[in-house]
Amino acid sequence: MGIPKFLGVFLVMEMMSGFRFEAYGLSMGYYVMSCPMAEFIVRNSVNRALQADPTLAAGLIRMHFHDCFIEGCDASILLDSTKDNTAEKDSPANLSLRGYEVIDAAKEELEKECPGVVSCADIVAMASTHAVFEAGGPVYDIPKGRKDGSRSKIQDTINLPPPTLNASELIKMFGQHGFTAQEMVALSGAHTLGVARCSSFKNRLVDAVDPNLDSGFAKQLTKTCSAGDNTEQPFDATRNVFDNLYFNALQHNTGLLASDQTLFSSARTRNIVNGYAFNQARFFFDFQQAMVKMSMLDVKEGFKGEVRQNCRKIN
């Protein structure tokens, strides 16, 4: 079930007025004159990668989130560490991120087509939208015009939400970035794709098992994690399909992370979860709006940033 994909674009465009984008120095047609093939090149790069490995969709969406929550959407997540600096990507919170090579491939093609024009930050943002769509989720457009930042420090990743937060803590952390509780739950729905490592949820299995965890599921996870902390477990039954089964899982107390299950166990967010579990179209619509909003977090424009020639290092 879902709203027609072509309709989703126009609905979002109606909901997100153009002047709001302009206030951030962004626009939907930012590359129309300077690099008209930009969107096509990024989409093709993502499509090729997902045809070879569908699991990369989750990685590309998560990369965008982890980029935007630290220093804004400025591709700081892509910078490699140097002898003088340990970058964000080498933080324990980011070691499981995947898809860097997809961004590199798109950037290489774009530099041939229109050198020095398309920022790495925009590539990450565009790649995430195409990953959502290719995995079966809604289609939506985002404004472009972000510039790349020059700061990427491991200590800044303390601002990423850990998997142990409860609903009140999540509401507070997301609220600091301007998101409502409903937008936070919608964005959490990105966990409909991908996996988590046992190290992220094994705390729910030791000593007294988390009372909000289904007992049968707890036994399954205990068996899975006996293979080690790096063993992976899907968030829901359709790990490579963007749907609303994540919210159905929460209703059955089979949410993987504590920060997942708390969305149902907390009275403050339970009704939102129930709404999305019942109505996939509603989830898709709220998710795409929240993603557009997230893509504009603390963007750098003009002389506040640059367009990197190589996404892994500053010019």
Side-chain angles (χ1 to χ4, degrees), residues 235-256:
F235 283 106
D236 68 19
T238 54
R239 62 175 287 181
N240 295 326
V241 179
F242 196 98
D243 52 30
N244 66 338
L245 289 193
Y246 165 80
F247 297 105
N248 294 132
L250 301 187
Q251 290 179 316
H252 293 93
N253 289 335
T254 55
L256 190 54

Side-chain angles (χ1 to χ4, degrees), residues 205-277:
L205 307 172
V206 298
D207 300 328
V209 174
D210 187 335
N212 295 315
L213 185 62
D214 176 79
S215 58
F217 189 53
K219 291 178 181 177
Q220 176 191 328
L221 293 181
T222 299
K223 181 178 180 181
T224 298
C225 293
S226 63
D229 282 359
N230 288 328
T231 308
E232 297 177 339
Q233 171 71 27
F235 283 106
D236 68 19
T238 54
R239 62 175 287 181
N240 295 326
V241 179
F242 196 98
D243 52 30
N244 66 338
L245 289 193
Y246 165 80
F247 297 105
N248 294 132
L250 301 187
Q251 290 179 316
H252 293 93
N253 289 335
T254 55
L256 190 54
L257 306 179
S259 56
D260 292 323
Q261 193 58 52
T262 186
L263 301 180
F264 184 73
S265 58
S266 170
R268 297 180 69 181
T269 49
R270 184 180 302 126
N271 287 340
I272 305 172
V273 170
N274 287 335
Y276 291 157

Side-chain angles (χ1 to χ4, degrees), residues 269-286:
T269 49
R270 184 180 302 126
N271 287 340
I272 305 172
V273 170
N274 287 335
Y276 291 157
F278 176 73
N279 189 337
Q280 180 168 282
R282 179 182 173 186
F283 163 50
F284 278 17
F285 185 67
D286 287 353

Side-chain angles (χ1 to χ4, degrees), residues 43-300:
R43 182 171 65 243
N44 276 1
S45 181
V46 171
N47 289 354
R48 286 194 302 269
L50 295 187
Q51 285 173 7
D53 182 4
T55 67
L56 282 173
L60 291 170
I61 298 166
R62 189 165 174 239
M63 180 187 294
H64 183 40
F65 176 84
H66 282 224
D67 181 38
C68 292
F69 256 58
I70 308 296
E71 290 287 305
C73 308
D74 65 350
S76 55
I77 189 64
L78 302 180
L79 289 173
D80 286 340
S81 295
T82 65
K83 59 183 177 63
D84 300 316
N85 178 65
T86 304
E88 292 171 27
K89 66 166 54 171
D90 289 322
S91 164
N94 286 329
L95 290 180
S96 61
L97 289 186
R98 301 170 60 233
Y100 294 110
E101 69 281 1
V102 182
I103 308 301
D104 289 339
K107 180 62 172 175
E108 184 177 349
E109 287 190 50
L110 285 165
E111 285 300 302
K112 293 177 182 176
E113 179 74 19
C114 33
V117 173
V118 182
S119 69
C120 300
D122 273 348
I123 296 173
V124 171
M126 287 188 281
S128 72
T129 69
H130 296 307
V132 169
F133 175 70
E134 290 301 321
V139 61
Y140 58 98
D141 198 5
I142 53 168
K144 290 90 175 173
R146 298 161 194 78
K147 292 296 188 290
D148 300 324
S150 57
R151 175 188 173 94
S152 182
K153 294 185 177 296
I154 188 172
Q155 58 264 36
D156 292 342
T157 59
I158 193 173
N159 296 313
L160 291 171
T164 54
L165 294 187
N166 61 38
S168 295
E169 292 167 329
L170 287 167
I171 289 171
K172 180 180 179 181
M173 177 170 272
F174 277 74
Q176 291 170 345
H177 292 282
F179 293 105
T180 65
Q182 181 150 338
E183 289 169 334
M184 179 273 290
V185 176
L187 288 172
S188 297
H191 280 178
T192 182
L193 295 174
V195 300
R197 295 182 179 183
C198 286
S199 57
S200 298
F201 57 83
K202 68 177 183 179
N203 61 301
R204 306 182 69 197
L205 307 172
V206 298
D207 300 328
V209 174
D210 187 335
N212 295 315
L213 185 62
D214 176 79
S215 58
F217 189 53
K219 291 178 181 177
Q220 176 191 328
L221 293 181
T222 299
K223 181 178 180 181
T224 298
C225 293
S226 63
D229 282 359
N230 288 328
T231 308
E232 297 177 339
Q233 171 71 27
F235 283 106
D236 68 19
T238 54
R239 62 175 287 181
N240 295 326
V241 179
F242 196 98
D243 52 30
N244 66 338
L245 289 193
Y246 165 80
F247 297 105
N248 294 132
L250 301 187
Q251 290 179 316
H252 293 93
N253 289 335
T254 55
L256 190 54
L257 306 179
S259 56
D260 292 323
Q261 193 58 52
T262 186
L263 301 180
F264 184 73
S265 58
S266 170
R268 297 180 69 181
T269 49
R270 184 180 302 126
N271 287 340
I272 305 172
V273 170
N274 287 335
Y276 291 157
F278 176 73
N279 189 337
Q280 180 168 282
R282 179 182 173 186
F283 163 50
F284 278 17
F285 185 67
D286 287 353
F287 177 81
Q288 61 192 23
Q289 286 194 79
M291 285 292 282
V292 172
K293 182 175 179 177
M294 187 185 77
S295 78
M296 296 189 291
L297 280 181
D298 301 320
V299 296
K300 294 171 177 62

